[in-house]
Every structure is written in C-alpha cells, then in structure tokens.
Amino acid sequence: MADELTASAFRREVHPGSGGASHLASQADQVKNHFICLDELRGLAALSVALLHASQIFGFGLSYAYLGVDFFFCLSGFVIANGYDQKLKSGVLRSTTFLLKRVVRLYPMIAAGVALGVLASLFASTASLSFADVSILAVGAILLLPLGLLLGQEAFAINNPLWSLCFEMAASVTYGSVARRRFHLWHEIAVLVLLAAALFQIVAIEGTIGPVGFGSWRACFEGFVRVGFSFLAGVLIFRWQIHRRVGAVPPQIPLFVLIGVLFFPVTVPREIYDFICIAIVIPIVVALAAAVPLSEERPFAGYLGKLSYPLYMVHQPVFQLGAQFEHFTDGFIQRLITVSFTVLAAVGVAHVLYICFDAPIRAYLCRKFSLN
C-alpha cells in the first residue's frame, strides 16, 4: 500500500546509459522531490479507511471508503516503480536488497499494529477471543499469514488492516523478482487487461470489492487479483510516463475526485461502482496527482503522508478500545464525543509511534544493513 506506504522517491526520471551504474546512482542521489499531492491523498485515503472502521465499530454509515485500499495499492505500484525500476534494471540495486528495504519499511509498524491488536483483543469484550486464539492470530499477523480463517474469523482478526500488508508484501516480492526483465508494451497491456477481466468477474461474484482479500478463503485468493491489477496499474503509469503526458494539474482536481470516490453520497450498485473506480478512476487520480507541480512547500500535506501508514496500522485496535470505553460508560457520554475523541486518540497514537518508534527503528535498520 502503502508507495502508499513509502516515501514518494524521486521526481526525476533516471536513465541508465553510457555512464554505467555509478552514474545512475549519482543521478538518483540528486534532487529528492516528493510527489507532495500523492502524500496528501495518501493521508486522505488512510483517514477514510479509519473512518470506515469507526463506522463499523460504532455503528454509523459510511459507504465506499474501502476503496482507499485500492488507491493505496495503485499508489504503491507507482512510487515503487518510480523509486526502484531503473535501479533494479541496471543492477545498481539487487532484488534481495530491494526486498530487505521493503521489510525494513513495513515491519516496525506491523509489529506495533500486532501488539496493539493483541491488547485490544484481550481487553475489548467485543472481541470474545480466547488467549490461545489471540496467540495464533498474533503469530499469523507477524508472519503475514491469514491464520484467522482457520479459527472462523477474518484473515487478520487481530488487526484487520494487516490483510492489505500481506498483499503489499506479495506484490513487492513479485515486483522485485521480475523488475529486471524487459517486457514488450503489448505484454504489459495484455496482463493488465486479463487482470481487469478477472477483477470484473470477482466484483460481480462478491457484489462489492469490500471483503475481497480477508473475508473468506475464496476472498483471500481473490485478493491477489485485487492487488495485482491496482499495483500493476500504478507501475505502468510510471513506466508509460502517463503523469508526464498530461501536463501540469492543479492539486484540487485529484483531491476532489478522490474525495468523491471515497465519500460518494448516492447509493449505486456496488459491483459497477467499485469496478469503474478501481479500473478507471483511481489510476487517473494517481496519474493526475503525480502531475501536480511542486511549486511551494506544503508541510501539512507532507505530514499527512508520513502519518498515513502509522494511522492505518493502529486505528482499528484504538477504536476497539474506544468502543470498550463506551461500553463501560454505558452511554453516559454521547457517542459523537466518544467517536471524536477515539479518532483523535488514534491520530495521536500514530503520531507518537511514528516519531518515537517507526522512524528511529527504520533509520537504525537502514544504517545497520547499509540500505541508504
């Protein structure tokens, strides 16, 4: 997803040429401009998913925010290709080193998310899981294995957003394994079309993309198509340089389009809406956001991007603990107040973990394994 979950890499395209690998590396180390609009949209998508889970836990309506995950997958494909395509193809970066960088990027917050999930599962009465079940779920979550399905639960019942990290890692492994190969344009188009056809069939069968990836064994296998299409679409947006062909785009356009997708106010057939958004609208949003010129400093947008992954990983356990607090108070405090403070608490926990845990741990591991 997350990358929806990585820094936005380099704005400048790097071409391997007569200068060789060392020249490529020196080029890549030059101006490191973030796709600041993508950072902003990543934060919006994370918040939308958090609000979706809040609506499920506290019982209020929110319709299509689950499509934020598909935006994450597409965004992840784009920024990973932007950051690593030429390095992998040229041999500057080995596939094993790329995968180690992905593990270092994702796993500190995965560990934090599992720890909070265990805490919420043990203390939230709504979870109703035995200690043995929680232990199995925790082991499965750390290993990114859907062991919850063996217990009659959702794939990652300890902290449900972990399901997308499982597929994010699968997409990264696949990308790192094949990125060095040269593919003909028509081969890339054929694979994308086949994945789109499979996605259409899956959405038609399930009626919505929402539970695809974690709801059942069938939905878990269908998740490979869900991540495969969006991640590949993001990769191809970069490889085909679509974001450079559309010209400069005002940041309000992709922002308002994504808000419209995630918070569409009208009830429509989900199978049609989901497919059109995933196959057409979300890739367009990613391309348009990448085409927004970096004209001025936007620190809040950058902050949203940095906070998006920690918030995504911790919000559900915090919400479950908030629901437990509401149960203890027995409605003494108005639900709106409880929900508002719980959402703010999730943001606060995400901020503290990013500053005090995620960023320092990743910096240490990058130094230890010479990944910078």
Side-chain angles (χ1 to χ4, degrees):
M1 288 177 349
D3 144 299
E4 98 299 337
L5 306 175
T6 64
S8 301
F10 307 129
R11 184 81 186 234
R12 178 177 300 180
E13 183 182 5
V14 182
H15 298 278
S18 59
S22 61
H23 176 63
L24 174 68
S26 65
Q27 280 187 304
D29 286 334
Q30 293 177 11
V31 185
K32 300 179 180 179
N33 288 332
H34 285 323
F35 293 97
I36 194 67
C37 187
L38 289 178
D39 287 339
E40 187 174 33
L41 298 189
R42 182 166 60 238
L44 171 65
L47 183 59
S48 74
V49 174
L51 291 176
L52 172 67
H53 290 149
S55 73
Q56 294 170 344
I57 291 172
F58 290 99
F60 59 90
L62 198 63
S63 297
Y64 307 103
Y66 51 82
L67 292 171
V69 178
D70 301 281
F71 174 79
F72 284 147
F73 288 146
C74 188
L75 173 60
S76 182
F78 174 82
V79 298
I80 286 178
N82 180 54
Y84 299 111
D85 242 22
Q86 298 299 337
K87 292 180 182 180
L88 287 167
K89 289 177 181 177
S90 68
V92 169
L93 184 68
R94 294 184 300 173
S95 297
T96 52
T97 305
F98 164 75
L99 293 176
L100 181 58
K101 288 170 74 72
R102 299 300 296 145
V103 169
V104 168
R105 175 65 185 96
L106 298 177
Y107 252 90
M109 283 310 306
I110 289 176
V114 172
L116 282 174
V118 169
L119 182 67
S121 296
L122 292 176
F123 290 98
S125 62
T126 55
S128 65
L129 295 171
S130 68
F131 181 79
D133 288 346
V134 171
S135 301
I136 293 172
L137 291 172
V139 171
I142 284 290
L143 298 177
L144 294 181
L145 297 175
L147 298 188
L149 297 173
L150 299 177
L151 303 177
Q153 303 282 331
E154 292 179 344
F156 293 90
I158 200 82
N159 190 348
N160 190 53
L162 284 163
W163 76 266
S164 63
L165 273 298
C166 170
F167 288 102
E168 172 78 16
M169 191 62 72
S172 295
V173 170
T174 304
Y175 169 82
S177 302
V178 304
R180 292 191 179 205
R181 301 181 183 180
R182 303 284 179 173
F183 293 96
H184 192 278
L185 172 66
W186 291 108
H187 294 162
E188 294 174 335
I189 293 175
V191 173
L192 190 66
V193 170
L194 287 174
L195 285 171
L199 180 68
F200 179 82
Q201 185 65 26
I202 287 170
V203 175
I205 292 173
E206 300 293 346
T208 176
I209 201 66
V212 171
F214 62 89
S216 64
W217 283 111
R218 183 180 72 183
C220 191
F221 286 111
E222 291 170 344
F224 289 103
V225 175
R226 182 177 186 178
V227 66
F229 174 84
S230 293
F231 190 91
L232 179 60
V235 170
L236 296 182
I237 288 170
F238 170 77
R239 289 184 179 173
W240 298 346
Q241 293 294 286
I242 294 175
H243 60 297
R244 297 185 185 276
R245 302 175 190 273
V246 299
V249 175
Q252 295 83 1
I253 293 179
L255 176 63
F256 289 148
V257 172
L258 185 61
I259 290 174
V261 167
L262 300 178
F263 302 102
F264 194 62
V266 180
T267 301
V268 295
R270 288 183 184 268
E271 61 272 22
I272 298 174
Y273 183 82
D274 290 358
F275 178 76
I276 291 176
C277 287
I278 296 171
I280 300 174
V281 181
I282 287 176
I284 290 175
V285 169
V286 171
L288 293 178
V292 172
L294 185 63
S295 57
E296 60 183 14
E297 290 293 328
R298 300 175 62 197
F300 184 69
Y303 175 74
L304 284 178
K306 291 177 181 178
L307 196 67
S308 60
Y309 181 41
L311 177 61
Y312 185 77
M313 291 305 302
V314 307
H315 70 269
Q316 188 168 44
V318 173
F319 290 169
Q320 289 172 335
L321 292 172
Q324 183 66 18
F325 172 79
E326 183 184 45
H327 175 73
F328 281 145
T329 59
D330 195 24
F332 177 76
I333 301 175
Q334 282 190 336
R335 170 159 293 187
L336 178 60
I337 297 175
T338 301
V339 173
S340 299
F341 274 96
T342 302
V343 172
L344 290 175
V347 173
V349 170
H351 174 84
V352 171
L353 284 175
Y354 173 75
I355 298 296
C356 301
F357 178 75
D358 183 40
I361 291 294
R362 287 193 287 113
Y364 167 76
L365 293 175
C366 286
R367 292 193 303 269
K368 181 177 178 61
F369 296 109
S370 302
L371 297 178
N372 291 320

Short mmCIF file of all heavy atoms in Angstrom, two decimals, residues 60-83:
data_model
loop_
_atom_site.label_atom_id
_atom_site.label_comp_id
_atom_site.label_asym_id
_atom_site.label_seq_id
_atom_site.Cartn_x
_atom_site.Cartn_y
_atom_site.Cartn_z
N PHE A 60 -22.28 3.74 12.58
CA PHE A 60 -22.85 4.81 11.77
C PHE A 60 -22.45 4.55 10.31
O PHE A 60 -21.55 3.76 10.03
CB PHE A 60 -22.39 6.20 12.23
CG PHE A 60 -20.90 6.42 12.19
CD1 PHE A 60 -20.28 6.92 11.07
CD2 PHE A 60 -20.13 6.13 13.31
CE1 PHE A 60 -18.91 7.13 11.05
CE2 PHE A 60 -18.76 6.34 13.30
CZ PHE A 60 -18.16 6.84 12.17
N GLY A 61 -23.13 5.18 9.38
CA GLY A 61 -23.00 4.82 7.97
C GLY A 61 -21.83 5.50 7.27
O GLY A 61 -21.56 6.67 7.47
N LEU A 62 -21.12 4.71 6.45
CA LEU A 62 -20.07 5.23 5.57
C LEU A 62 -19.96 4.24 4.42
O LEU A 62 -19.79 3.04 4.64
CB LEU A 62 -18.75 5.37 6.31
CG LEU A 62 -17.70 6.28 5.68
CD1 LEU A 62 -18.20 7.72 5.61
CD2 LEU A 62 -16.40 6.22 6.46
N SER A 63 -20.03 4.74 3.18
CA SER A 63 -20.30 3.84 2.07
C SER A 63 -19.08 3.23 1.40
O SER A 63 -18.84 2.04 1.51
CB SER A 63 -21.14 4.58 1.01
OG SER A 63 -22.40 4.94 1.53
N TYR A 64 -18.27 4.01 0.72
CA TYR A 64 -17.31 3.46 -0.23
C TYR A 64 -15.86 3.70 0.18
O TYR A 64 -14.97 3.61 -0.66
CB TYR A 64 -17.56 4.07 -1.61
CG TYR A 64 -18.99 3.93 -2.08
CD1 TYR A 64 -19.87 5.01 -2.02
CD2 TYR A 64 -19.47 2.71 -2.54
CE1 TYR A 64 -21.19 4.88 -2.44
CE2 TYR A 64 -20.78 2.57 -2.96
CZ TYR A 64 -21.64 3.66 -2.90
OH TYR A 64 -22.94 3.53 -3.30
N ALA A 65 -15.61 3.97 1.45
CA ALA A 65 -14.25 4.31 1.88
C ALA A 65 -13.29 3.14 1.75
O ALA A 65 -12.07 3.35 1.76
CB ALA A 65 -14.26 4.82 3.32
N TYR A 66 -13.80 1.91 1.63
CA TYR A 66 -12.90 0.75 1.46
C TYR A 66 -12.08 0.86 0.18
O TYR A 66 -11.03 0.21 0.04
CB TYR A 66 -13.71 -0.55 1.44
CG TYR A 66 -14.88 -0.56 0.48
CD1 TYR A 66 -14.69 -0.83 -0.87
CD2 TYR A 66 -16.17 -0.30 0.93
CE1 TYR A 66 -15.76 -0.85 -1.75
CE2 TYR A 66 -17.24 -0.30 0.06
CZ TYR A 66 -17.03 -0.58 -1.28
OH TYR A 66 -18.10 -0.58 -2.16
N LEU A 67 -12.51 1.69 -0.76
CA LEU A 67 -11.74 1.88 -1.99
C LEU A 67 -10.43 2.62 -1.74
O LEU A 67 -9.56 2.67 -2.62
CB LEU A 67 -12.57 2.63 -3.03
CG LEU A 67 -13.77 1.86 -3.57
CD1 LEU A 67 -14.66 2.76 -4.43
CD2 LEU A 67 -13.32 0.65 -4.38
N GLY A 68 -10.27 3.18 -0.53
CA GLY A 68 -8.99 3.77 -0.18
C GLY A 68 -7.86 2.75 -0.24
O GLY A 68 -6.71 3.10 -0.55
N VAL A 69 -8.15 1.48 0.06
CA VAL A 69 -7.13 0.44 -0.01
C VAL A 69 -6.68 0.24 -1.46
O VAL A 69 -5.49 0.05 -1.74
CB VAL A 69 -7.66 -0.87 0.59
CG1 VAL A 69 -6.61 -1.98 0.47
CG2 VAL A 69 -8.05 -0.67 2.05
N ASP A 70 -7.61 0.27 -2.40
CA ASP A 70 -7.25 0.11 -3.81
C ASP A 70 -6.43 1.31 -4.29
O ASP A 70 -5.52 1.16 -5.13
CB ASP A 70 -8.51 -0.06 -4.64
CG ASP A 70 -9.32 -1.27 -4.19
OD1 ASP A 70 -8.96 -2.40 -4.55
OD2 ASP A 70 -10.28 -1.08 -3.42
N PHE A 71 -6.73 2.49 -3.75
CA PHE A 71 -5.88 3.64 -4.04
C PHE A 71 -4.48 3.40 -3.51
O PHE A 71 -3.48 3.71 -4.17
CB PHE A 71 -6.50 4.90 -3.43
CG PHE A 71 -5.61 6.11 -3.57
CD1 PHE A 71 -5.55 6.80 -4.76
CD2 PHE A 71 -4.85 6.54 -2.50
CE1 PHE A 71 -4.72 7.91 -4.89
CE2 PHE A 71 -4.02 7.65 -2.61
CZ PHE A 71 -3.96 8.34 -3.82
N PHE A 72 -4.36 2.86 -2.28
CA PHE A 72 -3.05 2.54 -1.72
C PHE A 72 -2.26 1.62 -2.66
O PHE A 72 -1.08 1.84 -2.92
CB PHE A 72 -3.20 1.84 -0.37
CG PHE A 72 -3.57 2.74 0.76
CD1 PHE A 72 -4.37 2.28 1.78
CD2 PHE A 72 -3.11 4.04 0.82
CE1 PHE A 72 -4.72 3.09 2.84
CE2 PHE A 72 -3.46 4.87 1.88
CZ PHE A 72 -4.26 4.39 2.89
N PHE A 73 -2.90 0.56 -3.15
CA PHE A 73 -2.21 -0.40 -4.00
C PHE A 73 -1.70 0.25 -5.28
O PHE A 73 -0.57 0.02 -5.70
CB PHE A 73 -3.13 -1.56 -4.34
CG PHE A 73 -3.42 -2.50 -3.19
CD1 PHE A 73 -4.65 -3.13 -3.07
CD2 PHE A 73 -2.45 -2.77 -2.24
CE1 PHE A 73 -4.92 -3.99 -2.02
CE2 PHE A 73 -2.71 -3.63 -1.18
CZ PHE A 73 -3.95 -4.25 -1.07
N CYS A 74 -2.53 1.06 -5.91
CA CYS A 74 -2.15 1.73 -7.14
C CYS A 74 -1.02 2.73 -6.88
O CYS A 74 -0.02 2.78 -7.62
CB CYS A 74 -3.35 2.42 -7.77
SG CYS A 74 -3.05 3.10 -9.42
N LEU A 75 -1.16 3.51 -5.83
CA LEU A 75 -0.13 4.46 -5.45
C LEU A 75 1.18 3.75 -5.14
O LEU A 75 2.26 4.21 -5.53
CB LEU A 75 -0.61 5.27 -4.24
CG LEU A 75 0.39 6.21 -3.58
CD1 LEU A 75 0.87 7.25 -4.58
CD2 LEU A 75 -0.24 6.88 -2.38
N SER A 76 1.10 2.63 -4.45
CA SER A 76 2.29 1.87 -4.10
C SER A 76 3.03 1.41 -5.36
O SER A 76 4.26 1.52 -5.44
CB SER A 76 1.91 0.67 -3.24
OG SER A 76 3.05 -0.05 -2.84
N GLY A 77 2.29 0.89 -6.34
CA GLY A 77 2.93 0.47 -7.58
C GLY A 77 3.64 1.61 -8.28
O GLY A 77 4.76 1.45 -8.79
N PHE A 78 3.02 2.79 -8.27
CA PHE A 78 3.62 3.94 -8.95
C PHE A 78 4.91 4.38 -8.27
O PHE A 78 5.94 4.53 -8.92
CB PHE A 78 2.62 5.11 -8.99
CG PHE A 78 3.22 6.37 -9.54
CD1 PHE A 78 3.31 6.56 -10.92
CD2 PHE A 78 3.71 7.35 -8.70
CE1 PHE A 78 3.88 7.71 -11.43
CE2 PHE A 78 4.27 8.51 -9.20
CZ PHE A 78 4.35 8.68 -10.57
N VAL A 79 4.86 4.60 -6.95
CA VAL A 79 6.05 5.16 -6.30
C VAL A 79 7.17 4.14 -6.18
O VAL A 79 8.35 4.50 -6.18
CB VAL A 79 5.69 5.78 -4.93
CG1 VAL A 79 4.73 6.93 -5.09
CG2 VAL A 79 5.17 4.76 -3.97
N ILE A 80 6.84 2.86 -6.07
CA ILE A 80 7.89 1.84 -6.04
C ILE A 80 8.57 1.77 -7.41
O ILE A 80 9.81 1.71 -7.50
CB ILE A 80 7.31 0.48 -5.62
CG1 ILE A 80 7.03 0.47 -4.12
CG2 ILE A 80 8.27 -0.65 -5.96
CD1 ILE A 80 6.41 -0.80 -3.60
N ALA A 81 7.79 1.78 -8.48
CA ALA A 81 8.40 1.79 -9.82
C ALA A 81 9.23 3.04 -10.03
O ALA A 81 10.34 3.00 -10.59
CB ALA A 81 7.32 1.68 -10.89
N ASN A 82 8.72 4.18 -9.57
CA ASN A 82 9.44 5.44 -9.71
C ASN A 82 10.77 5.40 -8.95
O ASN A 82 11.78 5.93 -9.42
CB ASN A 82 8.57 6.58 -9.18
CG ASN A 82 9.25 7.93 -9.29
OD1 ASN A 82 9.69 8.31 -10.36
ND2 ASN A 82 9.35 8.63 -8.19
N GLY A 83 10.76 4.78 -7.79
CA GLY A 83 11.96 4.76 -6.96
C GLY A 83 12.95 3.67 -7.32
O GLY A 83 14.15 3.85 -7.10
#
